[in-house]
Amino acid sequence: MIRIRGITFEIPNGYGKYLFEILNDIEINGLTWRIGGGESYIKENGEPLFPSLCTVNGETLHEIISNEEYYLIFVDLKAFPNKLDVKEISTYQEFVKSECQFVLLLIDSSYVTIYSKDQNIIQQLFSKGVSAGYENIEYITDENDRNKTLIAF
């Protein structure tokens, strides 16, 4: 049986609230989110969207990604059930062995990769991606996973 690890797809390269659109139907509250190194800017003032290398709760993440339009270049978000469990996850094997539940990586402004330990979330995000018109959406499986690291850059 082929194991589904996650999904990959492309979003438009431009300003928007794409992280909010992607994560809106997922329960992000109650999780601790590790924000890794990245580069994203708020449209109106050019300020960074995220504080660099920090952890935030789900409510704070929701506020950050839902308020204003932004431009994403690199994003590295990882969700943990408990703040004490937060650590750097750099490979799929580390993800599997860790308490990390969800990984969202975005590179080059368009290419999104998501891993989740919850198969229902993967299915939900795949359906949402199709209905949103995201391009080149496909499942990531044990056989086709080309990612060597789970770091955005």
Side-chain angles (χ1 to χ4, degrees):
M1 180 171 180
I2 296 175
R3 181 173 173 1
I4 297 174
R5 296 179 174 192
I7 61 172
T8 185
F9 54 89
E10 293 176 44
I11 60 172
N13 182 350
Y15 287 101
K17 295 183 182 180
Y18 293 111
L19 293 176
F20 175 71
E21 291 173 14
I22 294 165
L23 298 174
N24 190 37
D25 297 329
I26 296 173
E27 184 55 51
I28 66 172
N29 295 337
L31 293 170
T32 298
W33 291 83
R34 182 184 185 283
I35 300 171
E39 188 176 1
S40 302
Y41 300 99
I42 298 170
K43 181 179 182 179
E44 188 166 312
N45 60 18
E47 294 289 319
L49 178 64
F50 296 114
S52 185
L53 300 171
C54 68
T55 58
V56 298
N57 62 34
E59 293 81 2
T60 300
L61 178 66
H62 183 270
E63 185 176 312
I64 291 170
I65 65 175
S66 65
N67 283 338
E68 300 180 58
E69 287 194 340
Y70 39 82
Y71 185 71
L72 305 170
I73 301 171
F74 294 101
V75 176
D76 183 336
L77 298 175
K78 296 180 176 94
F80 296 83
N82 187 318
K83 190 170 184 169
L84 297 175
D85 297 323
V86 174
K87 65 179 188 174
E88 176 57 51
I89 304 294
S90 58
T91 67
Y92 181 75
Q93 289 71 26
E94 289 176 359
F95 170 69
V96 170
K97 293 176 184 177
S98 75
E99 293 299 317
C100 184
Q101 299 298 304
F102 186 89
V103 174
L104 185 150
L105 304 172
L106 179 133
I107 58 170
D108 294 339
S109 303
S110 296
Y111 303 97
V112 178
T113 303
I114 295 173
Y115 292 89
S116 177
K117 290 182 177 171
D118 185 332
Q119 293 293 304
N120 292 327
I121 288 176
I122 295 170
Q123 298 292 335
Q124 181 181 356
L125 288 172
F126 188 93
S127 296
K128 186 175 193 172
V130 169
S131 64
Y134 297 146
E135 295 184 8
N136 300 318
I137 188 164
E138 63 181 60
Y139 288 109
I140 301 169
T141 66
D142 291 338
E143 285 77 23
N144 72 359
D145 193 352
R146 296 176 292 280
N147 290 323
K148 302 291 182 225
T149 66
L150 297 186
I151 300 173
F153 62 95

